[in-house]
C-alpha cells in the first residue's frame, strides 16, 4: 500500500523545495487545505514562536556574558538597531508577527488609520507557513495624522522616528519602521501610494478573525501573489517565488483568475504569472 494516496498532478508542477518529492508536496497542500483558517494561523504563530525561542536559547548559551537583548537585536536586525533599544537589559520576550501585529493595529485603529498586512505574513496565512523577521503593513496616512501616530507609538513603548514618518508621508521614501521595545520585534509600515494598483489592494483587503477573536485586515491572496511577483520576478528571488507558489497551491480554484490576469497585464508580469500557474498545478 502506498504511503500517500495518489493525487492528480499536472505537467510542470514544482515542489516547494528540491528535497521534497512532487507526491509529498501535493499531499502536503491537500492536507493543509483541510485545516481551518484558525488552524493555519495557529500553525504560523507556533512555528515563529518556536524559531524565536530556539534563537534566544542558543544565544544565551553562546554569550552568557553579553547583554542578551542587544545581542538578540544585533543578530536579528543588525547593529544599527542596537542604538534604538530603549532598555538594553532584561529578559527577551519571545513573540511572533501576529502578536506584534495586534499591538500595532490597536494603535492604528485608535487613530482610524486604514491598513492591511502584506509581505510574508500574509503569504503564510494564505499559503505555506514560513519564518519571517519583519511584519509589513500598508497604511493610509496623511500629514494630519503624523504627530498623533508618533505620539501613540512612543506612549506604547515603541521606537519610532518622526522624521522617518514625515519622509514616508511626503514621498521621499516608501516606508518607516517601528520597534516594539518589549518584544524587540520590528514592523515596516509602507505608506499607501497614489496608484491604481495600490488603491485596488487596499479596497480588496480581507478581514480575518484571529483564534482569540481579534480582527485584522490582510492583503487578498490575489494581491499578495501579484505583489510578490512584482518584487521577485526581475530579481529571480527564490523566496518570493516559493511564497507565490504556496498561495496558489493552497487557494487553488478559489482565486479570482480574471483579476489576476487583468493586473498581471497592467503590471507586465503576465509571463511570470503563467509560469507560476504551471508550477502550482493550476
Amino acid at each position: 500500500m502506498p504511503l500517500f494516496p495518489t493525487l492528480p498532478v499536472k505537467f510542470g508542477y514544482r515542489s516547494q523545495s528540491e528535497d521534497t518529492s512532487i507526491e509529498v508536496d501535493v499531499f502536503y497542500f491537500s492536507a493543509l487545505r483541510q485545516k481551518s483558517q484558525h488552524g493555519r494561523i495557529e500553525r504560523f504563530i507556533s512555528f515563529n514562536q518556536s524559531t524565536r525561542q530556539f534563537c534566544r536559547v542558543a544565544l544565551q548559551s553562546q554569550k552568557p556574558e553579553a547583554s542578551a537583548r542587544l545581542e538578540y537585536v544585533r543578530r536579528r536586525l543588525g547593529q544599527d538597531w542596537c542604538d534604538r533599544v530603549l532598555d538594553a537589559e532584561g529578559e527577551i520576550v519571545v513573540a511572533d508577527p501576529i502578536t506584534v501585529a495586534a499591538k500595532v493595529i490597536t494603535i492604528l485603529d485608535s487613530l482610524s488609520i486604514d491598513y492591511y498586512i502584506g509581505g510574508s505574513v500574509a503569504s503564510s496565512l494564505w499559503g505555506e507557513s514560513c519564518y519571517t523577521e519583519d511584519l509589513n503593513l500598508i497604511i493610509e496616512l496623511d500629514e494630519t495624522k503624523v504627530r498623533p501616530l508618533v505620539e501613540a507609538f512612543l506612549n506604547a513603548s515603541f521606537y519610532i522616528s518622526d522624521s522617518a514618518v514625515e519622509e514616508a508621508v511626503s514621498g521621499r521614501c516608501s516606508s518607516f519602521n517601528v520597534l516594539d521595545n518589549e518584544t524587540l520585534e520590528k514592523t515596516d509600515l509602507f505608506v499607501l501610494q497614489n496608484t491604481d494598483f495600490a488603491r485596488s489592494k487596499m479596497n480588496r483587503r480581507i478581514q480575518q478573525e484571529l483564534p482569540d477573536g481579534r480582527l485584522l485586515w490582510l492583503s487578498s491572496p490575489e494581491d499578495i501573489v501579484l505583489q510578490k511577483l512584482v518584487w521577485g520576478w526581475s530579481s529571480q528571488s527564490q523566496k518570493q517565488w516559493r511564497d507565490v507558489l504556496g498561495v496558489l497551491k493552497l487557494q487553488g480554484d478559489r482565486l479570482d483568475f480574471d483579476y489576476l490576469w487583468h493586473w498581471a497585464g497592467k503590471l507586465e508580469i503576465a509571463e511570470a504569472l503563467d509560469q507560476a500557474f504551471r508550477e502550482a498545478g493550476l
Side-chain angles (χ1 to χ4, degrees), residues 36-232:
S36 66
Q37 184 67 3
H38 279 182
R40 290 196 288 270
I41 292 173
E42 289 173 339
R43 186 173 184 271
F44 172 72
I45 290 172
S46 176
F47 177 70
N48 275 269
Q49 284 180 338
S50 298
T51 304
R52 284 162 167 77
Q53 179 68 11
F54 176 80
C55 292
R56 183 189 71 82
V57 172
L59 172 63
Q60 291 179 331
S61 66
Q62 292 172 9
K63 287 186 173 290
E65 77 285 354
S67 169
R69 279 171 62 84
L70 287 181
E71 186 67 10
Y72 184 79
V73 171
R74 186 183 70 79
R75 293 197 184 189
R76 284 195 56 202
L77 305 177
Q79 181 63 40
D80 290 346
W81 281 95
C82 291
D83 297 332
R84 308 175 195 185
V85 177
L86 302 179
D87 182 7
E89 303 300 328
E91 290 293 320
I92 299 170
V93 178
V94 176
D96 62 88
I98 299 299
T99 299
V100 178
K103 297 180 70 172
V104 173
I105 288 165
T106 297
I107 294 172
L108 298 178
D109 285 343
S110 71
L111 299 172
S112 299
I113 295 175
D114 288 336
Y115 75 90
Y116 65 85
I117 296 173
S120 294
V121 174
S123 63
S124 290
L125 299 185
W126 292 124
E128 178 190 30
S129 290
C130 70
Y131 175 75
T132 179
E133 291 283 3
D134 300 332
L135 169 68
N136 292 346
L137 273 78
I138 294 77
I139 63 174
E140 196 160 10
L141 183 65
D142 59 38
E143 294 179 354
T144 65
K145 292 184 178 179
V146 169
R147 176 47 48 189
L149 179 73
V150 170
E151 292 177 352
F153 274 111
L154 290 175
N155 290 336
S157 192
F158 279 79
Y159 165 85
I160 186 171
S161 166
D162 53 356
S163 61
V165 179
E166 290 169 356
E167 287 185 358
V169 171
S170 68
R172 293 193 295 274
C173 64
S174 61
S175 65
F176 61 94
N177 318 111
V178 297
L179 181 72
D180 179 10
N181 194 58
E182 179 187 16
T183 64
L184 305 177
E185 295 288 330
K186 181 169 71 74
T187 301
D188 299 328
L189 294 120
F190 294 81
V191 177
L192 185 71
Q193 298 177 335
N194 186 27
T195 67
D196 290 342
F197 184 45
R199 288 189 291 272
S200 176
K201 288 186 288 183
M202 181 62 78
N203 291 335
R204 296 182 75 255
R205 61 186 180 150
I206 296 175
Q207 194 172 52
Q208 289 290 317
E209 183 182 39
L210 297 177
D212 63 6
R214 288 178 294 182
L215 300 173
L216 53 75
W217 291 97
L218 286 178
S219 169
S220 74
E222 293 85 2
D223 287 319
I224 198 63
V225 165
L226 292 167
Q227 186 61 68
K228 281 186 170 284
L229 287 177
V230 169
W231 287 334

